[in-house]
Structures are given as structure tokens and as C-alpha cells.
Amino acid sequence: MSLLSVIIPSYNEEDNIENTAGVISGVLKAAGIEYELIFISDGSKDSTYDKIAALASVDGAVKGVEFSRNFGKEAAIFAGLSLAKGDCVSVIDCDLQHPPKTLVEMYRLWEEGYEVVEGIKSKRGKEGLFHKMCVGIFYGIMSRLMKMDMNSTSDFKLLDRKAVDALLSLNEKNTFFRALTFWAGFKTTTVEFEVQERAAGKSKWSFSSLVRYAITNTTSFTTAPLQAGTVMGIILIIFSVVLGIQTLVKYFCGTAVEGFTTVILLLLIIGGSIMMSLGIIGHYLSRIYEEVKGRPKYIIRNRTDNF
């Protein structure tokens, strides 16, 4: 029978570990699917890893590792991919906002020959108006930059072993799992799901962390922001030509107005555009610097005995 590996990134999720393992195990056992649950404690400051280790000592299907510090969800996902032994691999949130019953539907589609099964959000659940607006703007921009529809995507998906091996063969340190599964190709289908309420605890994503996540993932996957400087330069050239023609016409007509308003305005626009372009270039240089250093995506501090 084919083995399904379920990767569960966990950061300060001590209240969810036992319930999440129990719910997912129950769903997969009822469906007759052989499985392993791989919990990745991403530098948790609570007893998340202790709960994982305790479960692993009594249930051989539960495995886990602990990072030496918080490396981020992307690192946790790729650590799980590298540790997974399954013929197919799924990623699911520890808070059970991704419904475990959808794993069965994904698995059946994989058995039909699909190599990537994408979880698509039909409903996002209860979210504040500001959060919905920010998410909409972020994924709208990401979709345009990456030329992919990112509006309803999530990390909730199932990959065939071939797709997993393809992702693990990539040498880059800054990764964006959602976009890379699109980029990798393979035979793909989708499954819709409704985002559930958290089983316990609160979301660990703050507004500032979401902004950093957006910037890092955008620049790690696409070079489109680098073209912003070129676009701004073209716009400024057109604006300058129009303004120059207007100034010459007024000069020869004897209606030119003396003053520094236009000069100051141009200096502010040009200076701001230059600084923005330099900031974008600087961010990409920092990404290159991180890649050149060759540091690992993550460091594993502990792992359960059944690994």
C-alpha cells in the first residue's frame, strides 16, 4: 500500500498537537490510508516539541523534529519534504484550519494519476475587513508579478514523490512553496475547501510578519520588482518631455512664470524614484548575498527516536 506523508509545520502549537494528530489519524485510518505524521517544531518557545516527542513514543506513525530557532514556515515545509518517506506528501496547518477530510479526496485524486493536488479556498472563513483587504491586495500583486492566479491558493496540497524530489533538487535558500509547485508543473488538479476555525490558540501571524513574508516571497521568486525602476524612469522621461514642451511654449509666448515650484517638484519625484529603485536593488542584493553564503535553510536541534 502506498504511504502518505503528512507534514505539519508547528510554531507554539502546544494546545493543538494532540488533537491534530488524533483527528488526522482518525480520518486516514477510516479511509484505509497508510500514513506518517511529521511535525516540524519551528523553534517553538512552548512545549510543542515535548508534546510531539511524547506522542511519537507511543505512536510510531507520529514523528517530529525541532529547529534550533525559528526559521519560518517555508523552512519547516522543506524540512518535512526532505524527511518524508511517503510515495506522496501533503502539507497541512497544525491548527486544523485546513480540513483533514480533504486529505482523503486529495489522496484519491493522486491514485487516479494526478501528481500535484492543489487545495483552493472556496471560503476564507472569518476574517476582519482590513485583513481581507490586505490579503486581496497581496495576492493580486503576486498574481500579476508571477503570472499565476494566487488569490485562493494555500500551502495545503498533496505532491507526488516526483514533484517532491524536483522541489528538493532546487539549490536556492529563499523559497516560496506555493509558487514553486506552480512553477514545477506536473499533472495538476484542484480541490476546494472551506477554511475552518482554529481548534485552539491564536494565529501567530502579525501584520508586520505578513508584510515581511510577502516581500521575501515576492523577491525570492520573481525579478519583476527590479523592472519598477525602468518603468518609473520611462514615466518620468515622458513627464519631463511634456513639461519641457509646456515650459518652452510659455517662454516663447512671454507667459512663463518665475519660481522654484516646478524645480522642487521634479527634484522630489526624481529623488524619490531613485531612492525607491535603489531600495529594490538593495533588497535583491541582500537575497544574492544570502544565497552566496550557502547557509542551510534550517538547523535541526532534536528529532524523535523513530526517525
Side-chain angles (χ1 to χ4, degrees):
M1 182 180 292
S2 299
L3 176 67
L4 168 64
S5 298
V6 182
I7 300 169
I8 311 170
S10 311
Y11 177 64
N12 292 344
E13 295 284 2
E14 61 181 1
D15 296 330
N16 284 314
I17 298 299
E18 293 179 3
N19 180 59
T20 297
V23 172
I24 296 176
S25 295
V27 169
L28 296 179
K29 284 179 180 177
I33 299 173
E34 187 178 353
Y35 67 93
E36 63 174 358
L37 305 183
I38 303 176
F39 286 90
I40 310 295
S41 178
D42 185 18
S44 299
K45 297 178 176 61
D46 58 9
S47 60
T48 294
Y49 180 71
D50 294 333
K51 294 287 183 69
I52 295 169
L55 276 176
S57 66
V58 296
D59 185 351
V62 176
K63 304 175 182 180
V65 298
E66 179 185 28
F67 285 171
S68 61
R69 65 169 177 83
N70 180 249
F71 284 91
K73 188 176 182 180
E74 293 295 316
I77 290 173
F78 273 83
L81 293 177
S82 66
L83 294 166
K85 303 298 183 184
D87 302 288
C88 56
V89 180
S90 180
V91 177
I92 189 171
D93 282 353
C94 189
D95 54 20
L96 294 183
Q97 287 191 297
H98 297 157
K101 63 181 181 181
T102 307
L103 286 172
V104 178
E105 186 177 356
M106 290 178 166
Y107 185 85
R108 300 306 179 205
L109 288 168
W110 172 75
E111 288 183 320
E112 293 177 14
Y114 290 101
E115 296 163 323
V116 177
V117 183
E118 298 277 353
I120 302 296
K121 299 174 184 176
S122 59
K123 292 184 180 178
R124 300 191 62 90
K126 294 181 180 179
E127 292 180 337
L129 179 62
F130 179 72
H131 186 268
K132 283 184 178 179
M133 182 180 68
C134 291
V135 168
I137 292 172
F138 167 60
Y139 283 116
I141 294 172
M142 293 288 284
S143 297
R144 287 182 175 275
L145 291 176
M146 298 182 180
K147 297 180 175 59
M148 305 172 183
D149 184 8
M150 303 290 293
N151 288 292
S152 301
T153 59
S154 69
D155 293 322
F156 188 31
K157 56 193 68 187
L158 184 145
L159 308 176
D160 182 78
R161 171 52 57 182
K162 292 192 293 290
V164 172
D165 291 341
L167 293 180
L168 291 176
S169 69
L170 303 177
N171 294 321
E172 58 203 74
K173 302 298 184 296
N174 294 290
T175 53
F176 187 17
F177 178 65
R178 297 186 195 185
L180 286 174
T181 55
F182 278 99
W183 172 87
F186 293 99
K187 187 179 180 182
T188 303
T189 189
T190 60
V191 171
E192 288 191 349
F193 71 93
E194 293 185 13
V195 177
Q196 308 297 304
E197 291 297 309
R198 284 181 63 91
K202 296 180 179 179
S203 174
K204 310 305 184 296
W205 290 98
S206 64
F207 178 74
S208 59
S209 63
L210 284 172
V211 171
R212 288 195 300 271
Y213 180 75
I215 294 173
T216 300
N217 287 331
T218 300
T219 54
S220 68
F221 189 78
T222 176
T223 59
L226 282 173
Q227 311 306 319
T230 303
V231 174
M232 284 188 293
I234 293 171
I235 292 173
L236 283 173
I237 289 172
I238 295 172
F239 179 70
S240 300
V241 170
V242 172
L243 188 61
I245 293 172
Q246 181 191 38
T247 303
L248 288 173
V249 169
K250 285 187 176 183
Y251 175 78
F252 287 116
C253 292
T255 58
V257 180
E258 295 182 0
F260 295 98
T261 304
T262 303
V263 176
I264 292 172
L265 181 62
L266 283 173
L267 286 174
L268 289 173
I269 294 173
I270 294 171
S273 300
I274 291 172
M275 294 305 296
M276 182 182 293
S277 299
L278 288 175
I280 294 172
I281 293 170
H283 190 79
Y284 274 94
L285 285 175
S286 69
R287 298 272 78 80
I288 294 171
Y289 177 60
E290 290 175 3
E291 294 289 338
V292 169
K293 284 189 294 188
R295 292 177 182 174
K297 291 186 181 75
Y298 53 85
I299 299 173
I300 294 177
R301 178 187 178 198
N302 290 313
R303 63 178 70 203
T304 54
D305 295 334
N306 53 358
F307 257 126

